[in-house]
Amino acid sequence: MADMEIRDVEQAMPAQDEQVEGTSPKSSPSADEAQVDEAATALSPREGSAPSGPCNAGNGAHSHSQEEQQQEEQEAQEADGGGEKADLPFDAPFAPLRSPFDFWQDGVLLCLLGGALGAFGYAYLTAFTKVTSAWLRADGNGSYPDAASLQFGAGRAWWAGLTAGAGLVVGLAKAILNLDEVPTFIAELRSMHVEPLKGAATSAVALLGFLGGVPMGPEAGLGAAAGAAGALLGRLPGLRPAAGPAAATRSRLYIFSAMCSALAAIIPTPLATLLLVLELGRPTATRAPLSEVPVMRTLTLLGAGATASFAVYYAIQGGVYLAPFNTLLSVVPYAKYNQVFIVEGMFFGVIGAAFGFCYILIGGVVKALVGALRRTLDARFGHRVRMVVLATAGGLATGLLGWAMPLVLTDGSEQLDTVLRQSRQVDSSVLAASAFAKALAYHLCAECGFHGGLFLPMLSMSAMLGAVFMNETGVNKVVAMACSLIAMPAAVIPAPIMLSVLAVSLLQGGTEGLVPIFTTALTAHLLCLGLGFPQWLVSAAAARKRQKAR
């Protein structure tokens, strides 16, 4: 495990430079910080006088002297309240109805982009779900994904050949496009930087893998395409501001909003989508690209774009990709709320943290093994041949696992209803083995060159393991369904609030139902990333790698 680095999980872990408490030591601002200040000034609401700050001092940035600024501020205060500064419990307006109408320009464009991405999301998701559904149901397997079709050995031997073929196509496409290493979805979300051509190519290559049923989520493919669209939109001529740091900040905002809008086609509500990108992307954290932009301006624009995307997708599809379960189970149990539900929520949090830790360990082992093979192939045949060989091998291994355990294949969204509502019809040993096998298959695909997200597969893995406890214990079924769904994702993804809202949305639970769910999310995250064991493992592996390199 000397080479253990888990890209998606590392990106999900909190960064050190974002955990800033109090105020930073005073020092001369860097060029990047000065640019952020200038961008924030241009994007902030215009007041009667130019705002003061680091970007207003020195270097001839403004023609007014400090004395003239103070005089103008005093005159504005006298006009507002007889010379005394108004003590209002409100923030400055972020969408003023006066020139240059920057907010309204951005709002209209991002709503239009959001609607377009909703339509694109429908086409993208439909393309691979129709294909995978067709071949998974072929050869006398028309009842898939009912309980009988998910048992041990219920797959088809030719699935291995199909997934290997998908890997071959993915490897060839990557070799032709020279698309070896690409940023993860979380990395692009936090940097708010996407190269349009590379983003479009990544989205297309991810789609090829989804057609082959790899256990990866579509959020990465949709996010890459959306980020590319946002980057292009930010380059349109005639936008205000037209150049400088403020224009760069606007471009980052467009990319971030576009990626948020793309996810609205997958997640049940725009609110959950907004929470996910805020918790993962942290756009207003210290030194983040949008840290100096008014928070409510950012939230409003993101929410508007996500809602537009959701509305268009829903109008076409009649629902969302990760649709709520049609069950009334939540009405009765939560109407009889019991304090024991909190204890049960903590129990599932502990299980989720343990599974999350195992998930990271599996990823480390796979990365070390595949990394050794990667270096050997690179040395003997070059990186283009290596891309083809590894992708084909990864597809073959995934297909063999899917032949033995059909729950391994796809992102798992279509299987969730069976796993959670018909868990007693699936043997517990099948559920437990499939959960770990799906984790193994995900890491194999990720290390062998496939592109996709970890979010939806994690929901599926976690639900499988939770279904085991539903089968083997007397825990409240709806509490178990909701809590187990997000237990493992909450352990390794720093988005406990969004995951709690997601579970309530999917199971249509009431307000009291949120109590054990949120308890699960907090417990799992505390016991995994909170205590820092995964971070310690990654740091130790990196240290050993550096020592060997010396």
Side-chain angles (χ1 to χ4, degrees):
M1 294 178 59
D3 297 312
M4 185 182 70
E5 294 176 11
I6 306 166
R7 293 181 299 168
D8 289 327
V9 176
E10 285 181 29
Q11 292 295 339
M13 293 179 184
Q16 293 296 328
D17 61 354
E18 292 171 354
Q19 299 175 355
V20 179
E21 296 182 0
T23 58
S24 302
K26 293 184 179 180
S27 61
S28 59
S30 66
D32 290 339
E33 290 170 338
Q35 287 185 345
V36 170
D37 290 332
E38 292 181 33
T41 302
L43 288 172
S44 299
R46 267 63 172 177
E47 298 293 339
S49 61
S52 59
C55 62
N56 298 324
N59 299 326
H62 295 278
S63 59
H64 293 297
S65 66
Q66 185 175 4
E67 292 79 6
E68 290 172 332
Q69 287 182 343
Q70 292 175 350
Q71 182 178 358
E72 290 177 2
E73 291 174 358
Q74 183 178 359
E75 291 174 354
Q77 291 173 2
E78 291 175 353
D80 288 337
E84 295 183 0
K85 184 176 180 180
D87 187 16
L88 298 177
F90 308 113
D91 294 331
F94 60 87
L97 291 172
R98 58 176 180 269
S99 181
F101 301 105
D102 291 356
F103 172 85
W104 301 102
Q105 164 198 267
D106 296 342
V108 170
L109 289 175
L110 292 178
C111 282
L112 292 174
L113 178 61
L117 289 172
F120 172 77
Y122 170 79
Y124 191 91
L125 295 169
T126 302
F128 72 82
T129 53
K130 292 291 185 184
V131 173
T132 54
S133 178
W135 62 261
L136 284 169
R137 287 178 168 83
D139 195 14
N141 199 32
S143 62
Y144 177 90
D146 67 355
S149 67
L150 302 178
Q151 304 291 347
F152 283 131
R156 302 293 185 268
W158 55 266
W159 288 0
L162 190 148
T163 54
L168 175 62
V169 174
V170 167
L172 289 173
K174 293 185 63 176
I176 293 171
L177 297 171
N178 197 25
L179 195 69
D180 195 4
E181 298 292 337
V182 297
T184 65
F185 170 75
I186 295 177
E188 290 183 329
L189 194 66
R190 289 187 176 177
S191 67
M192 302 178 203
H193 173 76
V194 177
E195 298 176 18
L197 289 178
K198 195 170 188 178
T202 301
S203 180
V205 170
L207 179 61
L208 295 175
F210 301 150
L211 293 171
V214 296
M216 308 185 88
E219 63 271 17
L222 285 174
L232 292 175
L233 181 64
R235 298 176 185 179
L236 283 179
L239 297 180
R240 299 174 63 98
T249 299
R250 183 193 61 235
S251 179
R252 294 188 182 99
L253 173 64
Y254 282 14
I255 292 171
F256 195 74
S257 177
M259 297 179 78
C260 177
S261 297
L263 296 180
I266 303 174
I267 299 176
T269 67
L271 173 61
T273 303
L274 183 60
L275 289 173
L276 177 62
V277 298
L278 290 176
E279 290 187 284
L280 289 182
R282 304 168 187 169
T284 58
T286 304
R287 297 176 184 172
L290 302 181
S291 59
E292 298 297 332
V293 179
V295 174
M296 289 310 302
R297 176 191 175 106
T298 301
L299 295 184
T300 303
L301 291 173
L302 294 178
T307 302
S309 175
F310 175 88
V312 170
Y313 186 93
Y314 198 97
I316 301 173
Q317 175 67 16
V320 291
Y321 184 72
L322 193 61
F325 301 117
N326 294 320
T327 175
L328 297 178
L329 287 173
S330 57
V331 175
V332 177
Y334 283 145
K336 301 176 181 179
Y337 173 77
N338 192 317
Q339 296 282 41
V340 175
F341 292 170
I342 297 179
V343 178
E344 293 177 348
M346 294 176 66
F347 168 76
F348 280 105
V350 173
I351 299 301
F355 189 25
F357 189 68
C358 292
Y359 174 87
I360 295 172
L361 282 177
I362 292 171
V365 173
V366 171
K367 188 172 185 68
L369 295 176
V370 176
L373 180 58
R374 175 195 298 261
R375 290 188 294 273
T376 300
L377 292 172
D378 278 342
R380 293 188 178 182
F381 306 106
H383 72 285
R384 293 183 188 272
V385 173
R386 181 257 300 161
M387 285 190 275
V388 177
V389 172
L390 280 185
T392 305
L396 177 62
T398 299
L400 291 173
L401 288 171
W403 177 19
M405 293 166 280
L407 281 168
V408 167
L409 297 177
T410 76
D411 61 27
S413 57
E414 191 178 13
Q415 305 158 354
L416 275 178
D417 187 74
T418 302
V419 169
L420 291 176
R421 293 204 298 166
Q422 304 176 38
S423 63
R424 294 192 181 277
Q425 299 178 35
V426 184
D427 193 82
S428 294
S429 61
V430 173
L431 293 167
S434 297
F436 286 96
K438 197 177 188 80
L440 173 62
Y442 171 84
H443 286 298
L444 278 172
C445 289
E447 294 303 324
C448 288
F450 290 89
H451 299 295
L454 54 77
F455 180 64
L456 292 186
M458 275 189 177
L459 293 178
S460 176
M461 299 172 208
S462 190
M464 291 179 208
L465 207 59
V468 174
F469 290 92
M470 282 192 282
N471 290 349
E472 304 300 327
T473 67
V475 66
N476 180 284
K477 186 171 183 179
V478 176
V479 173
M481 289 170 64
C483 294
S484 66
L485 183 66
I486 55 99
M488 197 270 272
V492 297
I493 299 176
I497 299 175
M498 175 271 169
L499 289 167
S500 301
V501 172
L502 175 67
V504 171
S505 301
L506 284 175
L507 295 174
Q508 305 175 51
T511 54
E512 290 181 339
L514 186 60
V515 177
I517 294 171
F518 191 52
T519 303
T520 295
L522 289 181
T523 303
H525 198 71
L526 169 65
L527 296 181
C528 191
L529 291 185
L531 294 180
F533 291 118
Q535 295 95 316
W536 175 79
L537 282 175
V538 173
S539 299
R544 287 195 296 270
K545 184 177 180 179
R546 288 192 297 269
Q547 288 178 354
K548 285 188 176 183
R550 291 176 182 174

